[in-house]
């Protein structure tokens, strides 16, 4: 059967269908558990959380499902120069965004406070609570950490946006590698080169990786139905990871307007932008994202840009100025149909089964 893949065996799941782990408070225990309980692998994005919060979430996940699930962290969780943010850089950013703050009728914020990396402390919680799967983006943990995961029976999953990144992850001995195509919604998890230079499509990247690495591959980006899963498996993926389609379900923590936008005509148009967080990410095209194109040098480094723009996002939401907000979403959004995670999972399984059954007849 189509679902008898290496990923199914490694992850201990019934179907090689993974839910993308959403950071930035978009994940929920309810969504993660719904996907895992339906036979896939639910994912929880925890990169913004404190160690205690991750510990508490893991406890809730264990209570909500007895199936495997994935907790995701970011290895590189900031882009701030060693000397910190200069006043000159902050003044440049203020000048670029002042018209939008004026339009929203609010004052520009103060210079963001210094940011302290949380990754090492977050990592300790992962090693303590031992989720079945630990996935990571924007790099790879140390050899020692990977070895500790192996000894603890934690399956490690890295994310690659280029063949070079895939080969690097392969050399480190991670258990599975995500082929993260540029079609995907959310941040581009590049770590060996600039994100703008790491824009290979999912199915091209998948085929390149199949030629050069032996590690099982998870295809991610531009997949939202059974035909997409079948295409990924046919090209050699061991599993498919689906983000936007699950983000659009009622169980996710996306705002109601965000989910509504993913099902609207606006979802036909997406943009890769640094304007909202300081890192390149794909969302539904907004006026602000278009205006800021070409001004990337005037944007604060991640995550200070997120902090800086937070008051504008809140004001825009309050005033329903949707064209100032980047709602995360992938290029595949226009084909979304389902608003319930369990219904979506069932449809994915049935559609993939029907596709492969059709090949036999």
């Amino acid at each position: 059967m189509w679902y008898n893949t290496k990923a199914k065996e490694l992850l201990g799941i019934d179907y090689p269908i993974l839910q993308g782990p959403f950071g930035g408070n978009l994940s929920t225990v309810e969504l993660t558990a719904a996907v895992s309980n339906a036979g896939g692998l639910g994912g929880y994005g925890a990169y913004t959380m404190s160690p205690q919060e991750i510990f508490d979430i893991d406890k809730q996940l264990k209570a909500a499902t007895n199936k495997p699930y994935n907790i995701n962290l970011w290895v590189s969780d900031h882009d701030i120069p060693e000397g910190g943010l200069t006043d000159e850089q902050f003044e440049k950013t203020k000048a670029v965004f002042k018209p939008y703050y004026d339009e929203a009728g609010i004052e520009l914020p103060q210079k963001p406070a210094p940011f302290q990396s949380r990754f090492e402390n977050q990592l300790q919680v992962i090693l303590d609570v031992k989720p079945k799967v630990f996935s990571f983006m924007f790099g790879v943990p140390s050899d020692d950490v990977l070895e500790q995961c192996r000894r603890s029976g934690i399956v490690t999953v890295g994310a690659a946006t280029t063949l070079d990144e895939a080969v690097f992850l392969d050399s480190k001995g991670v258990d599975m590698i995500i082929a993260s195509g540029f079609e995907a919604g959310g941040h581009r998890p590049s770590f060996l080169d600039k994100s703008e230079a790491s824009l290979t499509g999912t199915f091209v990247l998948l085929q390149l990786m199949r030629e050069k690495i032996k590690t099982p591959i998870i295809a991610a980006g531009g997949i939202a139905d059974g035909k997409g899963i079948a295409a990924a498996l046919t090209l050699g993926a061991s599993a498919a990871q689906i983000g936007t389609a699950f983000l659009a379900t009622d169980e996710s923590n996306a705002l109601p307007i965000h989910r509504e936008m993913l099902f609207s005509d606006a979802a036909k148009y997406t943009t890769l932008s640094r304007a909202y967080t300081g890192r390149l990410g794909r969302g539904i095209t907004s006026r602000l994202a278009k205006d800021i194109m070409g001004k990337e040098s005037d944007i604060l480094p991640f995550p200070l840009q997120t902090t800086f723009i937070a008051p504008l996002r809140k004001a825009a939401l309050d005033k329903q100025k949707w064209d100032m907000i980047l709602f995360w979403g992938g290029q595949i959004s226009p084909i979304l149909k389902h608003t319930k995670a369990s219904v979506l999972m069932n449809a994915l399984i049935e559609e993939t089964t029907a596709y492969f059954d059709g090949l036999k007849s």
Side-chain angles (χ1 to χ4, degrees):
M1 296 297 288
W2 64 267
Y3 45 79
N4 289 326
T5 69
K6 185 67 175 172
K8 175 182 185 285
E9 178 190 330
L10 269 173
L11 303 173
I13 55 180
D14 297 327
Y15 302 99
I17 300 171
L18 284 61
Q19 170 238 319
F22 314 124
N25 198 35
L26 291 171
S27 287
T28 65
V29 170
E30 186 182 10
L31 175 59
T32 307
V35 175
S36 290
N37 287 334
L41 185 78
Y44 200 102
Y47 83 88
T48 58
M49 302 173 77
S50 70
Q52 184 61 49
E53 287 170 333
I54 297 172
F55 181 84
D56 293 342
I57 283 294
D58 182 76
K59 204 170 174 182
Q60 292 174 44
L61 286 166
K62 284 182 168 67
T65 182
N66 60 1
K67 302 288 184 68
Y69 55 84
N70 164 34
I71 296 181
N72 177 268
L73 293 178
W74 291 15
V75 178
S76 166
D77 59 2
H78 75 90
D79 301 325
I80 304 162
E82 203 169 302
L85 178 65
T86 66
D87 290 339
E88 182 187 6
Q89 171 69 69
F90 184 57
E91 290 304 316
K92 275 186 180 177
T93 304
K94 277 170 53 178
V96 169
F97 285 88
K98 186 176 186 302
Y100 305 101
Y101 274 86
D102 289 347
E103 184 181 334
I106 57 171
E107 291 186 10
L108 283 156
Q110 297 298 308
K111 185 177 171 183
F115 176 82
Q116 295 296 319
S117 176
R118 291 175 282 219
F119 178 65
E120 293 301 326
N121 292 331
Q122 292 172 327
L123 201 50
Q124 189 55 54
V125 180
I126 298 293
L127 295 171
D128 290 343
V129 302
K130 299 179 176 63
K132 174 67 177 178
V133 182
F134 166 43
S135 69
F136 39 85
M137 301 160 56
F138 293 106
V140 58
S142 68
D143 293 345
D144 178 57
V145 167
L146 292 176
E147 181 55 35
Q148 287 185 67
C149 288
R150 276 189 280 275
R151 288 202 301 266
S152 298
I154 301 170
V155 177
T156 55
V157 179
T161 63
T162 64
L163 180 57
D164 286 345
E165 289 175 352
V167 169
F168 184 81
L169 287 164
D170 186 55
S171 73
K172 292 295 182 179
V174 300
D175 294 309
M176 300 190 74
I177 301 174
I178 296 169
S180 179
F182 74 87
E183 303 94 332
H187 287 98
R188 301 296 303 135
S190 311
F191 63 94
L192 289 183
D193 202 349
K194 286 182 65 177
S195 298
E196 287 85 353
S198 308
L199 299 178
T200 308
T202 301
F203 291 137
V204 171
L205 182 57
L206 168 57
Q207 291 174 86
L208 296 176
M209 288 167 63
R210 279 286 292 155
E211 290 291 318
K212 298 294 182 182
I213 66 171
K214 291 186 169 59
T215 305
I217 301 164
I218 301 161
I223 304 170
D225 62 10
K227 286 181 181 176
I229 295 170
L233 297 178
T234 301
L235 288 173
S238 193
Q241 179 169 286
I242 293 171
T244 303
F246 281 113
L247 184 63
T249 63
D250 295 342
E251 290 87 352
S252 91
N253 206 35
L255 292 170
I257 182 59
H258 187 165
R259 298 197 301 268
E260 189 181 311
M261 292 286 276
L262 289 171
F263 286 105
S264 74
D265 281 347
K268 291 188 293 185
Y269 310 101
T270 63
T271 302
L272 284 165
S273 176
R274 289 183 179 269
Y276 293 85
T277 68
R279 281 187 176 172
L280 197 67
R282 184 177 297 284
I284 296 172
T285 302
S286 69
R287 170 171 58 101
L288 192 153
K290 287 194 287 188
D291 289 351
I292 300 302
M293 280 184 183
K295 300 176 184 175
E296 283 75 18
S297 61
D298 295 330
I299 291 170
L300 301 185
F302 178 87
L304 301 184
Q305 181 68 15
T306 311
T307 306
F308 171 75
I309 211 165
L312 180 62
R313 185 177 186 275
K314 183 182 183 305
L317 285 168
D318 290 343
K319 297 174 188 291
Q320 299 188 4
K321 290 180 173 288
W322 313 135
D323 61 352
M324 285 191 183
I325 303 164
L326 190 74
F327 294 108
W328 298 122
Q331 290 183 330
I332 201 68
S333 299
I335 75 164
L336 301 184
K337 296 181 181 70
H338 304 290
T339 59
K340 295 291 180 186
S342 59
V343 174
L344 172 58
M345 267 300 291
N346 289 336
L348 294 171
I349 295 163
E350 288 171 9
E351 289 165 6
T352 311
T353 301
Y355 180 85
F356 283 109
D357 284 350
L359 293 181
K360 295 176 193 171
S361 58

